[in-house]
Amino acid sequence: MSIRTTSRLLSKVVLFGGAGAAAALAAYIHSTGHADPPKNLPKLSDEVPSRKVQMSALAGSSSARPFDILVIGGGATGAGVALDAATRGLHVAMVERDDFSCGTSSRSTKLIHGGVRYLEKAFLRRDLAQLRLVNEALAERGTLIRNAPHLVWPLPTLTPCYHWWEVPYYWAGLKAYDLIAGKKVLYMSRVVTAAEASGMVPTLSHKTRDGRTLKAGVLYYDGQMDDARLNLALATTAARAGAVVLNHASVSGLKTDPIGRVEGAVVTDELTGKKVDVRAKVVVNATGAYCDSIRRMADPNTPLAVLASSGSHVVLPDFYLGAASGSTSGAGAGTASGSGGGGGNVGLLIPKTADGRVMFMLPWLGRVVAGTTDSPSDVVDVPVPTEKEVQFIVDTLSNYLDVEVRKDDVLSVWGGLRPLLRKGLKSKTPTQEEGKPEGGEAAAGKAEAVKTEGGQQTEGTKADTSNVVREHTVMVEGGTLVTVTGGKWTTYRSMAEDTVNTAIRVGNLTAPITTNPSTPSASTSSSSTLALPPSVTEHLPLTGAAGFSPALFSQLAQNANVLRVAPDRRILPYRLDSAVVYHLVRSYGSNASKVKEIATTELLAERLAPGFPDIEAEVVFAARNEFCETAADFLCRRSRIAFLDADAAIHALPRVIKLLAKEHGWDSKREKQELEAGAKSVNQFRAMSLAPSAQ
């Protein structure tokens, strides 16, 4: 290596380590000043209202009795807005055209993280916007692990070093990452030897194809999640707080008054075809990458706000991280002590791919998720990974593993759209001269102050998206149409808080004294009102979190006796195995016992697919408690079978349909429709469905 090259590399270490540590220390001091938990969290209902009740409440709005807020979009941000608003005492409704998290929110890399790559860019480019994002995201990571410990867990991740200079470089950067997290740090990062690295990831190559040898590694910790079930927990918690929550309900148009102010939307129940006019004082557009289609319902000439980026992922068998089949729990295995765990329980971060990005290879629910790509994309309903993208992932992994990654081993593929902000986009907020009250919400000012920087794209063109800052913005258009877009999964809660603060201000919203958060039909016409409280979601346990503890698995496993129907139709005693019990606890938290009760009393303890811990009772529980209306709802988002193995999902499909048919009263015609629609949805995850690469 030349002296000039060595000097340049050392300067990077100094910059990332010295300046990074100083900046991180300042962020650490700032991040330790979190607000104390509110003394009185709102009381939530124990039950989730049925779809029939929710549809009746949605249709009950009128100009004289509107909702305070109508949220369009049931992804992480939309569900977060509904939850934030409902727990402040507002009368809120949320509609989603398909299913909760059916888009980007279920197609993530499954990480709740600050973003190591963003931190590196913040220091190397002296980019305060990137640093702010990392600081905010790391604080939110700690909040999520506390509020949904069954769905978000710490994950040890190894960064291999094939040059000696990389050891201090990545160590300094990841130590800065720890410092920024402050009191919410998970476990401290540390340097490991090459031998230790091989023990953590047994398939890790000691020598890359270009001749580099493994020198050491840096182990750090981030959060991992079951994204679709976390999104569902937000929606069901919002419903328990009094929000009217409805999936499979699309918006075909906005309602406006004579001067053009948005005052509601036309909503269609996609399951029945029934249309209703929903009136609201404020409409929140939380449709992510699709937000411009809603904005143009209010103004067809409004400039586009979103720059779409696609991220593709592949799912591989667990042995690619050195785990034997069934040896990994898929959620937090080996992380309790902070030691890093054994083979199969540690993720791999490839810090620089051939195109200068990072790639993750992570254990997840008993399989291995690898990705992601970052490519400009059109806004489409279902983004399909291309052959080129999948080949790029396979080739990158093969360069770092002692086993060749074969495309034939790919179990499932998927892509998601990131809603990135176009350069120069600024928050649009009403002025006092326009007839809107100034309000006193400090956080509304915060929303207005969000700055957007990064790559630039003009309408109808594509540009590089890898350098666009993952910040969010809140815009007000059409008088009372509030759009929130940009951001990332990890920061959904702070995005929702900003959005609700803005909605309160532009809609001049107040809470009636009689508001009861457990009653969806609470009156909003009372003449006596109270100022709305600040957000309480930072300290609000999500569905399944109350009563959850790490010991819950052992407690439930001790009492895992159920009944099952033998092939000869005899009813016999049966004991759920540990893998099934662990899966139930990690998926449902403190509600796992309710699923087990259904398995026992209704003889529904059979597994839905070979090699998967999902059982029949979960389908029934989802239909009764989780707004599961279609077979695809279950296979893709209540269970994660389709994301993990498309063939296994096809195997489970007929039994899932029979169970849902009994719960929802479907006839044979509907069952046939579900079989066709379910197969179509699942087949999108098959590797053979890959889109051809652009020429």
Side-chain angles (χ1 to χ4, degrees), residues 373-393:
T373 58
D374 193 338
S375 307
S377 174
D378 294 324
V379 178
V380 296
D381 284 344
V382 181
V384 179
T386 66
E387 289 274 7
K388 182 178 179 181
E389 288 173 323
V390 171
Q391 190 64 54
F392 175 77
I393 295 173

Side-chain angles (χ1 to χ4, degrees), residues 51-70:
R51 181 180 180 85
K52 182 178 180 181
V53 169
Q54 299 288 62
M55 189 64 200
S56 176
L58 188 72
S61 70
S62 65
S63 297
R65 191 175 177 276
F67 286 100
D68 290 315
I69 298 176
L70 170 64

Side-chain angles (χ1 to χ4, degrees), residues 529-684:
T529 60
L530 295 172
L532 288 162
S535 175
V536 299
T537 55
E538 184 179 354
H539 303 280
L540 185 72
L542 301 182
T543 296
F548 175 84
S549 77
L552 186 59
F553 161 64
S554 299
Q555 294 164 356
L556 195 62
Q558 274 190 326
N559 301 283
N561 295 322
V562 296
L563 298 174
R564 69 186 298 187
V565 180
D568 61 2
R569 308 309 297 170
R570 288 184 301 158
I571 298 176
L572 301 174
Y574 173 69
R575 186 176 182 84
L576 295 176
D577 61 60
S578 295
V580 171
V581 175
Y582 191 90
H583 157 74
L584 294 180
V585 170
R586 278 299 179 181
S587 297
Y588 301 93
S590 54
N591 286 328
S593 58
K594 296 180 181 179
V595 181
K596 175 185 169 290
E597 182 67 18
I598 293 173
T600 301
T601 59
E602 302 184 34
L603 306 180
L604 294 173
E606 296 294 333
R607 293 194 184 207
L608 292 169
F612 283 84
D614 310 73
I615 60 175
E616 296 167 317
E618 295 178 66
V619 183
V620 174
F621 180 84
R624 296 173 184 173
N625 301 279
E626 296 182 339
F627 303 111
C628 182
E629 303 297 333
T630 71
D633 288 353
F634 183 82
L635 289 169
C636 299
R637 291 168 291 274
R638 306 307 181 275
S639 156
R640 307 314 307 275
I641 299 178
F643 275 81
L644 294 168
D645 189 332
D647 288 341
I650 290 294
H651 176 92
L653 179 60
R655 182 58 179 152
V656 170
I657 291 173
K658 286 296 183 184
L659 291 166
L660 288 176
K662 183 178 179 181
E663 289 298 308
H664 293 315
W666 293 345
D667 57 20
S668 58
K669 180 180 178 181
R670 174 64 188 272
E671 287 187 43
K672 183 178 179 180
Q673 291 172 342
E674 284 294 318
L675 189 63
E676 294 174 354
K680 182 179 179 181
S681 293
V682 171
N683 282 332
Q684 293 170 352

Side-chain angles (χ1 to χ4, degrees), residues 43 50 64 181 209 292 304 318 334 451 569 608 661 665:
K43 180 176 174 56
S50 68
R209 291 175 179 176
D292 287 325
L304 296 180
D318 56 2
K451 296 180 181 178
R569 308 309 297 170
L608 292 169

Side-chain angles (χ1 to χ4, degrees), residues 286-304:
T287 53
Y290 310 95
C291 71
D292 287 325
S293 63
I294 300 296
R295 294 174 63 235
R296 287 190 166 180
M297 288 181 184
D299 179 3
N301 298 315
T302 193
L304 296 180

